[in-house]
């Protein structure tokens, strides 16, 4: 690809990234909260495992690793629209977005990519270190597991970004964005495996959970990491992710072209 | 060929009507009523390359909507529009690379970044070569004294500083057209003069076509040879400022500072407008009485400290034009 073609997008990505890295206090607060929540979730899971005699699809040690991975990568979940785009839609500054000689979808995707990665990166590495050393999180099952987990995490990043852009585009209709975040967050948390690991869901729910895109955000990559899904089966996880990435990018681009046509810029 | 051409542009907005009160809000959930607002009603005009035109009208008249159609942000319901032969909304990206836009009430700079980083980012977004960029940036910086502001985060700039930076930001990619939507809004007198001076030079020296919307009539007087007035989505007047003035009123103002505060002036050819302390504003029609004759008559009769003749303020001209078209 012509380097000047991608320049606007990489430029806005790296600028946003640098801006987000300034929020160190927020990162620290998130870090502390997520350790607390992780501990609570693990206590609940321990209580559950102690009171059951039936064999479970995951042992407690695996669940602990699953929970800590989830806590470390919490910020990656598409639980809210891009705050920068929300502010622009509210203030009407979004008009400037449309006078840039760029493809608006790609431009917003680049912004949201930074918005998802930067805060997560700041929190996840120290949190994972701590959990590995002190809180019973296990290292990857094998070097191969580590590799397929990395590949699936890359897929999860694109998936979450595609979903975040869709959430951001809904702002063009709803303006505030709070309602959307309110609806989206609990549903996505549940269906991604952030509340209860997906393998612990009842049998009848498994098919639905397998089909939906959300398992590609947390559940599937986590299970690749711990070898709960074998390296040989990794291709199915990646294929599932990439099919959904294509669908959601297509959907987002279509929504944005519709939104542009009905756009009423606030004020002025 | 004209640089910008609009022909019968129509743009309507559908706005949800809300009834007042709690019951109204509830009703709105069940059944929405919409009312249609014609923001632009067959707007047509042409601009030649290098023109500097003032575009004025009351709030909600359609000024900003016109600018948004021209910049490809809004798609009109019907009508034709071309800039350099491109249809803005169909060829949005190519058009965007060719125009600069400043919405005075909003900044296009990154709030948390130092000014220079916003500029660098715009260089990349507009894909400006580094040589062209450095030249454009340095020129703009010299014209508006921006260099001391380079390292300041945008949120710490005063409004006047911010506007200078915003103007520069809109021009880094050397556009051939500049749309300025209220660029002097909220600025202090010194900043206004700086902004005006810059716009004038840009237009004279570089031949950039400028469309300036404003409520500040001093902007118009200082900058624009041609003025378009819009109201209710229609172009009401499109002429030079002098023609507009002549068409609306021939009157002149005679302002007199009296020596004695209790005095009044009576003359068959003048009518009284207002008075504050010993300053009296009168008006007369120069077709009915010669200005020189009138002045000598009055100075002979009354004890006068100072006296001068003015055109009625442009605000009044515009306000009369609005009245004619029932815009209030």
């Amino acid at each position: 690809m012509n380097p000047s073609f991608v320049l606007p997008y990489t430029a806005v990505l790296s600028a946003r990234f640098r801006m987000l890295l300034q929020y160190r206090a927020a990162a620290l607060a998130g870090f502390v909260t997520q350790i607390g929540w992780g501990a609570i979730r693990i206590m609940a899971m321990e209580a559950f495992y102690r009171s059951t005699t039936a064999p479970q699809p995951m042992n407690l040690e695996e669940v602990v690793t699953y929970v800590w991975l989830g806590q470390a990568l919490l910020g990656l979940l598409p639980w809210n629209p891009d705050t920068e785009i929300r502010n622009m839609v509210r203030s009407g500054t979004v008009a400037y977005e449309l006078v840039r000689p760029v493809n608006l979808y790609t431009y917003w995707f680049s912004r949201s990519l930074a918005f998802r990665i930067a805060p997560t990166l700041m929190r996840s590495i120290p949190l994972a270190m701590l959990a590995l050393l002190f809180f019973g999180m296990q290292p990857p099952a094998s070097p191969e597991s580590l590799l397929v987990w990395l590949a699936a995490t890359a897929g999860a990043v694109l998936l979450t970004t595609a979903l975040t852009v869709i959430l951001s585009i809904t702002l063009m209709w709803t303006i505030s964005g709070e309602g959307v975040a309110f609806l989206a967050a609990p549903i996505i948390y549940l269906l991604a495996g952030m509340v209860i690991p997906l393998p612990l869901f009842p049998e009848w729910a498994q098919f639905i959970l397998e089909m939906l895109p959300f398992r590609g955000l947390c559940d599937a990559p986590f299970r690749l990491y711990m070898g709960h899904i074998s390296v040989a089966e990794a291709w199915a996880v990646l294929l599932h992710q990439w099919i959904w990435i294509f669908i959601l990018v297509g959907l987002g681009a279509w929504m944005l072209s519709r939104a542009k046509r009905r756009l009423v810029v606030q004020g002025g | 060929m004209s640089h910008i051409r609009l022909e019968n542009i129509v743009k309507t907005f559908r706005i949800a009507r809300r009834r007042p009160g709690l019951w109204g809000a509830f009703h709105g959930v069940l059944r929405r009523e919409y009312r249609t607002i014609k923001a632009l009603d067959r707007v047509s005009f042409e601009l030649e390359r290098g023109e500097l035109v003032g575009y004025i009208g009351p709030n909600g008249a359609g000024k900003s909507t016109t600018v948004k159609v021209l910049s490809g942000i809004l798609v009109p319901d019907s009508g034709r529009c071309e800039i350099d032969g491109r249809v803005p909304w169909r060829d949005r990206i190519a058009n965007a690379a060719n125009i600069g836009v400043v919405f005075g009430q909003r900044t296009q700079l990154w709030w948390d970044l130092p000014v220079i980083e916003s500029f660098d980012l715009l260089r990349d977004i507009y894909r400006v070569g580094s040589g062209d960029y450095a030249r454009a940036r340095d020129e703009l910086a010299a014209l508006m004294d921006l260099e001391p502001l380079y390292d300041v985060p945008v949120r710490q700039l005063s409004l006047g500083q911010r506007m200078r930076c915003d103007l520069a930001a809109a021009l880094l990619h050397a556009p051939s057209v500049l749309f300025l939507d209220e660029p002097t809004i909220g600025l202090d007198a010194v900043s206004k003069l700086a902004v005006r001076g810059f716009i004038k030079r840009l237009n004279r020296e570089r031949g950039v076509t400028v469309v300036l919307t404003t409520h500040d009539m001093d902007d118009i007087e200082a900058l624009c040879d041609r003025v378009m007035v819009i109201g209710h989505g229609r172009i009401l007047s499109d002429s030079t400022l002098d023609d507009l003035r002549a068409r609306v009123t021939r009157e002149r103002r005679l302002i007199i500072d009296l020596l004695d505060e209790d005095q009044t002036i009576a003359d068959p050819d003048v009518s009284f407008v207002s008075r504050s302390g010993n300053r009296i504003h009168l008006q007369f029609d120069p077709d009915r009485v010669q200005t020189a004759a009138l002045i000598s008559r009055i100075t002979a009769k009354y004890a006068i400290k100072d006296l001068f003749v003015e055109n009625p303020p442009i605000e009044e001209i515009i306000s009369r034009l609005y009245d004619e078209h029932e815009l209030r």
Side-chain angles (χ1 to χ4, degrees):
Chain A
M1 219 182 290
N2 183 347
S4 97
F5 175 80
V6 293
L7 185 60
Y9 311 108
T10 50
V12 81
L13 175 86
S14 85
R16 188 81 210 282
F17 203 87
R18 276 179 284 130
M19 273 184 272
L20 286 162
L21 290 182
Q22 293 173 2
Y23 297 116
R24 289 192 202 93
L28 184 67
F31 175 72
V32 174
T33 318
Q34 277 152 39
I35 287 178
W37 269 109
I40 293 170
R41 286 178 63 200
I42 283 166
M43 279 186 250
M45 284 293 165
E46 274 175 348
F48 165 71
Y49 271 84
R50 230 178 283 137
S51 67
T52 179
T53 48
Q56 293 298 328
M58 260 180 153
N59 62 39
L60 183 59
E61 199 178 62
E62 286 172 331
V63 170
V64 168
T65 302
Y66 190 107
V67 166
W68 283 122
L69 275 172
Q71 291 308 113
L73 297 172
L74 185 71
L76 218 51
L77 282 173
W79 61 276
N80 61 350
D82 188 332
T83 47
E84 198 172 53
I85 295 174
R86 190 190 65 197
N87 291 339
M88 287 192 297
V89 170
R90 279 199 174 169
S91 66
T93 320
V94 70
Y96 281 121
E97 294 287 281
L98 288 154
V99 297
R100 304 291 179 224
V102 293
N103 176 289
L104 192 60
Y105 182 84
T106 317
Y107 194 54
W108 281 13
F109 193 94
S110 314
R111 277 176 190 276
S112 299
L113 194 59
F115 175 64
R116 283 292 164 229
I117 297 176
T120 310
L121 209 59
M122 273 197 293
R123 291 170 211 192
S124 62
I125 292 170
L127 203 148
M129 290 295 195
L130 217 61
L132 276 168
L133 289 174
F134 303 111
F135 303 141
M137 179 177 156
Q138 299 298 309
S142 66
E144 293 79 19
S145 299
L146 178 66
L147 283 179
V148 290
W149 170 70
L150 285 173
T153 301
V157 167
L158 296 179
L159 201 56
T160 190
T161 307
L163 284 162
T164 303
V165 178
I166 287 176
L167 288 182
S168 307
I169 295 166
T170 63
L171 295 172
M172 311 264 270
W173 280 274
T174 63
I175 310 297
S176 95
E178 264 133 34
V180 171
F182 230 73
L183 282 176
I187 295 173
I188 289 170
Y189 274 48
L190 188 72
L191 298 178
M194 281 301 296
V195 181
I196 300 163
L198 295 189
L200 304 184
F201 274 69
E203 206 65 51
W204 59 264
Q206 291 299 330
F207 176 72
I208 304 167
L209 292 171
E210 296 254 319
M211 287 297 117
L212 289 174
F214 309 107
R215 66 182 283 255
L217 296 169
C218 301
D219 178 76
F222 297 175
R223 284 158 67 196
L224 283 172
Y225 171 96
M226 61 180 77
H228 197 262
I229 299 175
S230 71
V231 174
E233 288 167 296
W235 66 270
V237 169
L238 297 176
L239 183 68
H240 172 266
Q241 281 182 331
W242 280 93
I243 288 172
W244 273 111
I245 291 166
F246 276 106
I247 292 172
L248 294 171
V249 165
L251 179 67
W254 176 79
M255 282 172 69
L256 193 56
S257 72
R258 300 267 315 181
K260 273 195 301 201
R261 247 177 288 158
R262 66 172 299 288
L263 180 72
V264 180
V265 175
Q266 299 300 301
Chain B
M1 204 187 80
S2 52
H3 195 188
I4 299 175
R5 198 158 55 85
L6 264 85
E7 232 173 75
N8 289 317
I9 292 285
V10 175
K11 176 73 189 175
T12 52
F13 291 113
R14 218 164 59 117
I15 293 182
R17 200 203 310 254
R18 265 187 63 185
R19 297 177 178 197
L22 187 62
W23 174 247
F26 185 64
H27 195 266
V29 172
L30 297 174
R31 212 177 55 140
R32 288 229 171 161
E33 283 168 31
Y34 291 96
R35 88 201 140 94
T36 314
I37 292 178
K38 238 183 197 172
L40 298 178
D41 187 5
R42 282 164 292 147
V43 167
S44 306
F45 58 80
E46 286 188 33
L47 299 183
E48 296 304 321
R49 201 168 289 278
E51 266 195 280
L52 200 172
V53 59
Y55 194 44
I56 57 183
N59 289 320
K63 300 186 301 289
S64 294
T65 307
T66 311
V67 170
K68 282 167 191 158
V69 167
L70 285 167
S71 33
I73 297 170
L74 293 178
V75 185
D77 303 349
S78 63
R80 287 150 55 99
C81 170
E82 277 180 13
I83 301 178
D84 276 324
R86 289 190 201 91
V87 179
W89 57 92
R90 209 165 297 148
D91 232 342
R92 186 184 68 79
I93 292 179
N95 184 57
N98 181 40
I99 63 169
V101 187
V102 174
F103 297 108
Q105 312 207 45
R106 299 166 183 134
T107 181
Q108 58 185 315
L109 305 164
W110 279 258
W111 203 241
D112 294 319
L113 290 182
V115 171
I116 191 70
E117 286 192 39
S118 277
F119 286 180
D120 288 349
L121 204 46
L122 287 166
R123 169 198 64 200
D124 293 344
I125 288 170
Y126 282 88
R127 303 177 173 97
V128 184
S130 53
D132 290 340
Y133 166 72
R135 210 171 311 121
R137 184 199 56 203
D138 294 346
E139 260 183 56
L140 292 164
L143 280 172
M144 289 187 289
D145 192 24
L146 299 181
E147 223 153 312
L149 306 177
Y150 275 177
D151 297 325
V152 184
V154 172
R155 65 183 127 79
Q156 288 174 17
L157 296 177
S158 74
L159 194 57
Q161 293 170 331
R162 205 214 76 202
M163 184 51 65
R164 274 147 57 202
C165 294
D166 254 310
L167 276 168
L171 290 161
L172 290 168
H173 58 290
S176 71
V177 193
L178 185 62
F179 298 117
L180 299 172
D181 196 359
E182 302 186 24
T184 55
I185 195 162
L187 299 189
D188 62 50
V190 177
S191 302
K192 271 185 187 175
L193 288 179
V195 166
R196 275 181 208 141
F198 173 71
I199 296 170
K200 193 163 214 161
R201 284 189 70 172
L202 189 76
N203 174 257
R204 297 270 153 85
E205 290 170 17
R206 297 222 215 144
V208 175
T209 309
V210 181
V211 178
L212 169 72
T213 84
T214 184
H215 289 294
D216 189 329
M217 295 309 156
D218 293 339
D219 288 350
I220 300 287
E221 292 235 76
L223 293 173
C224 306
D225 302 322
R226 177 178 168 192
V227 184
M228 298 191 289
V229 185
I230 186 172
H232 290 322
R234 272 185 290 250
I235 301 278
L236 306 175
S237 156
D238 181 353
S239 64
T240 64
L241 192 54
D242 290 338
D243 284 349
L244 174 64
R245 213 193 284 276
R247 200 165 61 82
V248 176
T249 176
R250 298 280 304 142
E251 274 159 13
R252 296 277 164 80
R253 287 294 161 82
L254 179 62
I255 298 158
I256 298 173
D257 286 344
L258 295 164
L259 278 173
D260 182 1
E261 218 172 294
D262 300 327
Q263 224 174 0
T264 49
I265 291 182
D267 189 285
D269 286 322
V270 301
S271 56
F272 177 80
V273 179
S274 66
R275 164 170 206 152
S276 60
N278 56 353
R279 172 165 289 192
I280 292 190
H281 290 249
L282 301 168
Q283 74 186 21
F284 67 95
D285 183 346
D287 287 346
R288 269 179 52 202
V289 54
Q290 271 200 336
T291 311
L294 179 69
I295 289 172
S296 55
R297 203 157 72 205
I298 287 177
T299 43
K301 210 164 147 195
Y302 301 97
I304 282 166
K305 193 160 73 182
D306 196 3
L307 166 152
F308 43 102
V309 179
E310 267 188 354
N311 280 318
I314 180 83
E315 276 89 353
E316 278 195 38
I317 306 270
I318 299 302
S319 132
R320 278 197 209 183
L321 191 68
Y322 292 172
D323 281 344
E324 270 176 39
H325 292 273
E326 292 172 1
L327 285 176
R328 287 184 234 226

